[in-house]
């Protein structure tokens, strides 16, 4: 009988709830408004001749490298950060290797790492504080990959720059992936350290602030020497031609992204102030979402929001996230709608608690 690789028996499928997502989508940390109109314009101008051609990644890769102030050898465009994670795992992990992740975190690190047969060591965050000490304590001569989302998903918490660099120095035989998918909403980056560290990689995405999750475009940046190996296993056509055609327009419209990010930051302050006023515990976030603990009322909250046409994401089964729901922050108008729904929900709960 045909059998898949034995490693796959241990791999948990990452199956996000994508169906039936109608309403205000505050469940996947997407841009709630959509991409820049300049991108749409470019998309509409595509010709059948352009679609008939195999896509050429390098010219756009060079433009992205320049935008990041890196050399083209240090930069690779990927099919979203998801592919960057896969490529790094395939480049550095195998059966006798170890990967370290800090949980709770983005689910694809574990999926991609365990698929290689490597052992995945999960270090629990301390009250959602980044467990730098715990990670260091797990480093062994077999450690080949440490994947860290900064800001982290689903908590929105960040690690200090010094902590991340200390880990990169301590585990110098491991690839250190700093996943900066939410960089735009935070503003601090380790990308400038790449040329000074032989094992440091940074990933960025166009799926969040740029509103292009459907196009699937991400960036993996790393030491030129190492990127040569990563490139060997990638398909030369990993990023589709539509995405490659549109990326320069996305990069050119700085004002669009800046305005969106500012709206999200204001919304984050407003939402956090509101949650505090309503007595709903949350973790202060540096990303475009906030993780809120509802405890046993979690399911009730999720369905109350759904009734109001607002989708939020259940994170109850993430390690340490019992009773938690993650809420994406979008435009000002979307935050208004969210806050109105939260107030209504809180009022109804208070009403329901009054004895008859
Ligand atoms: N990294 C993190 C931390 C994420 O939260 C996500 C999306 N949920 C991704 C990567 C995936 O990004 P992309 O759409 O670029 O594959």
């Amino acid at each position: 009988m045909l059998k898949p690789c034995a490693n796959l028996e241990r791999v948990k499928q990452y199956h996000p709830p994508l169906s039936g997502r109608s309403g205000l989508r505050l469940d996947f940390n997407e841009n709630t408004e959509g991409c820049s109109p300049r991108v749409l314009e470019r998309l509409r101008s595509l010709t059948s001749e352009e679609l008939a051609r195999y896509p050429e990644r390098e010219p756009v890769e060079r433009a992205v490298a320049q935008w990041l102030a890196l050399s083209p050898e240090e930069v690779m465009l990927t099919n979203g950060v998801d592919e960057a994670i896969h490529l790094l795992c395939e480049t550095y992990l195998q059966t006798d290797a170890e990967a370290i992740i800090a949980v709770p975190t983005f689910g694809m690190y574990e999926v991609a790492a365990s698929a290689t047969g490597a052992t995945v060591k999960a270090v629990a965050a301390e009250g959602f504080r980044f467990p730098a000490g715990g990670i260091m304590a797990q480093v062994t001569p077999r450690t080949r990959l440490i994947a860290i989302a900064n800001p982290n998903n689903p908590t929105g918490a960040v690690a200090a720059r010094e902590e991340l660099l200390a880990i990169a120095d301590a585990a110098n035989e491991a690839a250190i992936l700093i996943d900066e998918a939410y960089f735009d909403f935070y503003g601090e980056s380790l990308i400038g350290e790449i040329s000074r560290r032989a094992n440091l990689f940074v990933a960025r995405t166009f799926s969040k602030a740029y509103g292009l999750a459907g196009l699937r475009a991400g960036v993996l940046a790393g030491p030129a020497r190492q990127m040569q190996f990563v490139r060997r296993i990638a398909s030369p056509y990993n990023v589709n031609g539509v995405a490659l055609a549109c990326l320069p327009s996305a990069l050119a419209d700085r004002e669009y992204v800046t305005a969106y990010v500012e709206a999200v930051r204001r919304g984050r302050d407003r939402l956090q102030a509101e949650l505090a006023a309503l007595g709903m515990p949350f973790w202060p976030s540096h990303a475009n979402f906030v993780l809120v603990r509802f405890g046993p009322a979690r399911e009730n909250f999720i369905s109350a929001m759904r009734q109001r046409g607002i989708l939020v994401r259940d994170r109850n089964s993430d390690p340490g996230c019992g009773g938690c729901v993650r809420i994406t922050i979008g435009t000002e108008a979307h935050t208004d709608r969210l806050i109105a729904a939260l107030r209504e929900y809180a009022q109804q709960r208070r009403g329901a608690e009054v004895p008859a």
Side-chain angles (χ1 to χ4, degrees):
M1 200 180 74
L2 180 63
K3 277 193 169 172
C5 299
N7 305 331
L8 293 187
E9 312 228 332
R10 292 184 299 136
V11 175
K12 288 184 224 131
Q13 192 185 0
Y14 179 63
H15 190 62
L18 280 164
S19 67
R21 294 181 62 221
S22 57
L24 175 54
R25 294 186 304 275
L26 304 183
D27 51 349
F28 274 73
N29 304 339
E30 296 156 340
N31 178 314
T32 64
E33 187 168 50
C35 63
S36 149
R38 289 213 220 167
V39 173
L40 271 187
E41 218 175 285
R42 177 67 185 101
L43 197 60
R44 293 197 177 105
S45 77
L46 280 170
T47 61
S48 72
E49 203 273 323
E50 282 178 279
L51 290 182
R53 257 190 254 153
Y54 275 106
E56 194 188 350
R57 208 177 62 212
E58 280 72 17
V60 187
E61 220 156 61
R62 282 195 292 276
V64 170
Q66 197 176 20
W67 170 69
L68 293 171
L70 296 174
S71 76
E73 293 73 32
E74 293 170 317
V75 172
M76 183 178 172
L77 287 173
T78 58
N79 198 273
V81 171
D82 282 350
E83 191 199 16
I85 296 165
H86 267 291
L87 292 174
L88 277 188
C89 288
E90 284 172 41
T91 307
Y92 298 106
L93 295 178
Q94 54 192 9
T95 313
D96 61 357
E98 292 172 358
I100 304 177
I101 57 174
V103 293
T105 194
F106 181 49
M108 286 308 293
Y109 308 141
E110 187 173 355
V111 170
S114 56
T116 67
T119 302
V120 179
K121 290 177 164 179
V123 178
E126 296 134 13
F128 292 154
R129 277 180 44 90
F130 180 66
I135 290 179
M136 299 271 223
Q138 290 296 331
V139 174
T140 74
R142 291 182 177 194
T143 309
R144 291 284 173 274
L145 180 86
I146 303 178
I148 299 164
N150 198 47
N152 191 24
N153 175 12
T155 59
V158 289
R161 184 183 184 82
E162 301 71 44
E163 290 177 319
L164 297 172
L165 292 176
I167 290 171
D169 290 341
N172 60 7
E173 286 187 52
I176 312 299
L177 170 63
I178 309 299
D179 178 348
E180 297 185 351
Y182 300 99
F183 157 77
D184 301 273
F185 309 105
Y186 176 41
E188 285 189 36
S189 176
L190 283 195
I191 215 155
E193 295 292 330
I194 280 174
S195 51
R196 288 193 278 275
R197 294 257 170 355
N199 61 338
L200 184 68
F201 296 82
V202 170
R204 296 272 183 89
T205 185
F206 290 93
S207 298
K208 310 292 178 187
Y210 288 80
L212 296 173
L215 274 191
R216 311 303 302 129
V219 184
L220 179 65
R225 209 182 116 69
Q226 297 298 326
M227 291 303 288
Q228 290 176 52
F229 298 103
V230 180
R231 277 181 223 276
R232 283 188 197 178
I233 50 167
S235 157
Y237 317 120
N238 63 334
V239 181
N240 71 77
V242 178
L244 291 174
C246 291
L247 283 186
S249 308
L251 291 180
D253 199 352
R254 282 262 17 112
E255 300 89 75
Y256 178 85
V257 176
T258 306
Y260 185 75
V261 166
E262 278 170 9
V264 168
R265 286 181 178 209
R266 283 195 299 273
R268 188 168 67 195
D269 290 345
R270 283 177 61 207
L271 175 61
Q272 294 188 152
E274 191 67 32
L275 290 168
L278 295 172
M280 297 172 173
F282 65 93
W283 284 266
S285 171
H286 297 270
N288 66 336
F289 54 83
V290 177
L291 187 70
V292 189
R293 200 185 291 279
F294 290 93
R298 168 193 117 251
E299 279 177 302
N300 179 268
F301 172 75
I302 294 170
S303 62
M305 289 295 121
R306 194 175 268 273
Q307 274 163 22
R308 289 167 176 82
I310 300 177
L311 306 181
V312 293
R313 186 79 173 269
D314 191 352
R315 299 270 40 145
N316 181 55
S317 49
D318 287 36
C321 297
C324 288
V325 176
R326 193 190 65 198
I327 308 176
T328 301
I329 302 152
T331 60
E332 210 121 32
H334 291 152
T335 303
D336 289 343
R337 197 170 145 196
L338 169 67
I339 287 177
L342 277 177
R343 285 183 183 162
E344 249 178 63
Y345 170 79
Q347 208 161 27
Q348 275 176 4
R349 293 278 305 176
R350 273 197 294 271
E353 276 161 20
V354 175

